[in-house]
């Protein structure tokens, strides 16, 4: 750690898939003045592509397969919580993590857990946001980083950025435009909350 800089917050990124937002956070956290370090990448899917990317970056990875816990969501989350505590995690970033979290887990991380959603919340909560925006004839779409609360995609917005919907867009072309925004605003939002949290 450089003299004069406060200790970096220890961040866990929770993923279920390819991990492109995770990679954007890892890249941003390499900056010397970034207020957070990526201490752990945790996946509920053993084959998640992001795990290999994180390991190649020298970041600790863990897999907790939710299928081993059947319908017992809290047992799955208690297993995650134990790993997060073992790594002394301060902040959790959900990045394409496809499990619904219980009030128990969300309550534990309240104010310290954030998510990226591919829409301009409160519009288009849930899945298939690009197709739904196109079906509605929306003229703009975008991405939102928000705090996680028990209601899905309902927590306070930290950062949001819009993109235009262009003639001829498909869910894929629109999704690519939104994803580029996601990769920019997620590292900015984490910087903001890690800095504020440092001040607490
Ligand atoms: C992103 O579009 C994110 O907004 C959503 O899930 C997708 C994850 O993509 N929550 P990636 O795994 O970060 O590439």
């Amino acid at each position: 750690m450089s003299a004069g800089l406060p200790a970096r917050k220890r961040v866990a990124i929770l993923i279920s898939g390819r991990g492109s937002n995770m990679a954007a956070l890892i890249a941003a956290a390499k900056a010397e003045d970034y207020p957070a370090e990526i201490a752990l990448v945790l996946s509920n899917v053993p084959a998640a592509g992001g795990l290999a990317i994180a390991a190649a970056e020298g970041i600790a990875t863990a897999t907790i397969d939710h299928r081993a816990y059947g319908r017992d969501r809290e047992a799955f989350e208690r297993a995650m919580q134990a790993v997060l505590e073992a790594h002394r995690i301060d902040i959790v970033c959900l990045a394409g993590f496809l499990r619904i979290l219980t009030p128990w887990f969300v309550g534990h991380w309240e104010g310290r857990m954030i998510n990226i959603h591919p829409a301009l919340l409160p519009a288009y909560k849930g899945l298939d946001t690009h197709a739904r925006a196109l079906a509605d004839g929306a003229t703009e779409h975008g991405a939102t980083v928000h705090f996680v609360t028990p209601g899905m995609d309902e927590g306070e917005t930290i950062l949001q950025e819009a993109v235009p919907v262009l003639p001829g867009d498909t869910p894929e072309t629109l999704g690519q435009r939104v994803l580029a925004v996601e990769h920019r605003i997620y590292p900015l939002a984490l910087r903001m909350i890690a800095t504020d949290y440092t001040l607490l």
Side-chain angles (χ1 to χ4, degrees), residues 15-23 94-98 115-119 130 143-144 175 178-179 182-183:
I15 65 167
S16 299
R18 66 186 168 182
S20 71
N21 278 288
M22 174 211 74
L94 306 182
F97 184 70
L98 300 177
N115 180 47
I116 181 102
H117 183 73
H130 311 315
T144 304
V178 170
L179 193 63
E182 294 183 38
H183 295 166

Side-chain angles (χ1 to χ4, degrees), residues 18 20-21 118 129-131 133-134 141-143 163-165 169-183:
R18 66 186 168 182
S20 71
N21 278 288
T129 57
H130 311 315
L134 287 172
H141 190 42
V163 300
V165 178
D169 260 340
T170 64
E172 290 70 33
T173 59
L174 181 55
Q176 282 303 318
R177 197 173 306 122
V178 170
L179 193 63
V181 163
E182 294 183 38
H183 295 166

Side-chain angles (χ1 to χ4, degrees), residues 38-110:
I38 310 307
L40 176 70
V41 169
L42 193 165
S43 175
N44 67 308
V45 176
L51 285 170
I53 298 170
E57 293 279 355
I59 292 169
T61 62
T63 301
I64 299 174
D65 189 342
H66 63 278
R67 291 172 303 187
Y69 299 88
R71 290 174 182 272
D72 193 345
R73 287 188 190 275
E74 258 194 49
F76 163 66
E77 293 174 348
R78 281 194 298 275
M80 287 205 299
Q81 181 66 24
V83 174
L84 295 172
E85 285 176 10
H87 287 267
R88 307 187 318 282
I89 296 302
D90 301 306
I91 295 171
V92 171
C93 292
L94 306 182
F97 184 70
L98 300 177
R99 301 301 298 167
I100 292 172
L101 297 166
T102 69
W104 173 75
F105 188 82
V106 173
H108 183 87
W109 289 98
E110 192 175 352

